[in-house]
Structure formats: structure tokens, C-alpha cells
């Protein structure tokens, strides 16, 4: 019974795990670039410099702050969903998750040296990263992950072939053919 259940559940769960890791990697890179660009603004730059100078437990408080501040937003999103605004609520949850992840990633980058001075945090971080590495290695060794990488390479190649204005030319050609009745 267990082997049968394992054979049935493993492929879809592996697909979901690979898809989550794939989206996370793509979004993580985009979020890092965006936050680095925002960090160039004078006000944000001075705020980041102040955060980087914080002592260990001050850094811990700042590190936990985005999750605490976004909690009311997520509760509000759940309220919207409960009152029939499902799409708006889901969009708000996704936006809060993306913003929160980008913010936490940037703050962690700034506070990591101070946080690693806290012994229990350094141990917990080491344990979590080792656990994460094992999971990532398992998922990245799967055929599903390899298929996602091939798909991404094909999409990049396809987008690289699209030249500015070329898509508009194709759409005009399709419209002309439709007017002539050659395309339905």
C-alpha cells in the first residue's frame, strides 16, 4: 500500500516542489535587483546604512519588523476574501508576500553580520540552510526540474528572437490575412 501511494503522490508533489523552487529563484533574483535599485535612492541608502550599523538584537528586531507590519495587510486580505472580494484579496496576499519577501531579503542582507553574532541564530541559520540545501539538491536532481530548465531556456530563446516592433508586424500581417479571409 505504501509503495503504491508513494508512486502516485511523488510525481505531482515533485512537480509542485520544482515549480515552487523555480518561481522562487526567478522572483528572488528580480526582487534582489529591484531592492538594490531602490537602495541607490539617497533616503533609502541612509536608512540601509543605519540598519547595517545596528547591534545584534536591534538587527533582530528590524529583521522581524516586515513580517509584523504586513500581518494586518494579510488579515485585511482575508477579510476581503470572506466578504466576497476573492480576487482582490488574493491579489493583496500575493502583493504582500512578494513585498515582504523582497524586504526581508534586503534587510537580512544588511543585518546578517549582526545576526550571526547571536549564537542561537547562527546555529539555527546553519541548520536551516543545510536542510534547505538537501531539499534543493533532491528537487534539482529530478527530471521535473530539468524539464523546467529546458522550458526556461526555450522561453528565453523565443523572447530573444522577438525584436522590438516585430510582434506588431506579425499582428498586422494576421489582421490583413483575416480581412482577406485567409485566416479564421
Amino acid at each position: 500500500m505504501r509503495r503504491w501511494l508513494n508512486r502516485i503522490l511523488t510525481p505531482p508533489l515533485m512537480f509542485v516542489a520544482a515549480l515552487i523552487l523555480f518561481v522562487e529563484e526567478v522572483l528572488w533574483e528580480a526582487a534582489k535587483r529591484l531592492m538594490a535599485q531602490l537602495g541607490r535612492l539617497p533616503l533609502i541608502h541612509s536608512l540601509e546604512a543605519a540598519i547595517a550599523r545596528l547591534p545584534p538584537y536591534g538587527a533582530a528586531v528590524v529583521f522581524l519588523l516586515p513580517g509584523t507590519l504586513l500581518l494586518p495587510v494579510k488579515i485585511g486580505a482575508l477579510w476581503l476574501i470572506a466578504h466576497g472580494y476573492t480576487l482582490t484579496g488574493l491579489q493583496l496576499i500575493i502583493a504582500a508576500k512578494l513585498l515582504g519577501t523582497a524586504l526581508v531579503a534586503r534587510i537580512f542582507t544588511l543585518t546578517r553580520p549582526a545576526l550571526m553574532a547571536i549564537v542561537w541564530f547562527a546555529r539555527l541559520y546553519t541548520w536551516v540552510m543545510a536542510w534547505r540545501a538537501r531539499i534543493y539538491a533532491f528537487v534539482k536532481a529530478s527530471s521535473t526540474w530539468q524539464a523546467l530548465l529546458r522550458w526556461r531556456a526555450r522561453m528565453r530563446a523565443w523572447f530573444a528572437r522577438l525584436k522590438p516592433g516585430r510582434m506588431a508586424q506579425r499582428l498586422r500581417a494576421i489582421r490583413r490575412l483575416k480581412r482577406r479571409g485567409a485566416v479564421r
Side-chain angles (χ1 to χ4, degrees), residues 163-180 183:
K163 295 178 182 165
R166 177 113 185 199
M167 191 61 111
Q169 286 177 333
R170 288 179 182 177
L171 289 174
R172 283 193 297 272
I174 290 170
R175 283 189 201 118
R176 279 194 305 271
L177 290 173
K178 278 187 175 182
R179 276 188 238 127
R180 292 183 197 158
V183 175

Side-chain angles (χ1 to χ4, degrees), residues 121-184:
F121 184 88
R123 285 185 187 147
L124 180 64
Y125 176 78
T126 303
W127 179 80
V128 167
M129 293 313 287
W131 182 73
R132 179 183 176 270
R134 285 194 302 273
I135 291 173
Y136 268 54
F138 179 73
V139 171
K140 287 182 176 185
S142 72
S143 58
T144 306
W145 180 260
Q146 301 306 317
L148 281 172
L149 291 180
R150 286 191 300 275
W151 176 80
R152 181 177 69 177
R154 284 195 303 269
M155 289 296 106
R156 283 184 175 171
W158 185 77
F159 279 114
R161 283 195 309 262
L162 293 178
K163 295 178 182 165
R166 177 113 185 199
M167 191 61 111
Q169 286 177 333
R170 288 179 182 177
L171 289 174
R172 283 193 297 272
I174 290 170
R175 283 189 201 118
R176 279 194 305 271
L177 290 173
K178 278 187 175 182
R179 276 188 238 127
R180 292 183 197 158
V183 175
R184 293 183 189 194

Side-chain angles (χ1 to χ4, degrees), residues 19-95:
L19 193 59
I20 288 169
L21 292 182
F22 182 76
V23 169
E24 179 189 319
E25 282 193 359
V26 170
L27 291 178
W28 189 265
E29 289 303 315
K32 278 181 18 183
R33 285 193 301 271
L34 174 67
M35 295 308 281
Q37 287 175 346
L38 286 175
R40 292 186 188 118
L41 297 172
L43 178 65
I44 306 262
H45 182 71
S46 61
L47 182 63
E48 285 184 349
I51 290 171
R53 288 190 305 267
L54 287 172
Y57 283 99
V61 168
V62 170
F63 179 61
L64 295 174
L65 201 58
T68 307
L69 293 176
L70 288 173
L71 185 63
V73 174
K74 291 177 183 179
I75 291 171
L78 291 175
W79 182 87
L80 286 170
I81 291 169
H83 287 83
Y85 299 97
T86 308
L87 188 58
T88 304
L90 288 174
Q91 289 171 337
L92 189 56
I93 287 174
I94 290 169

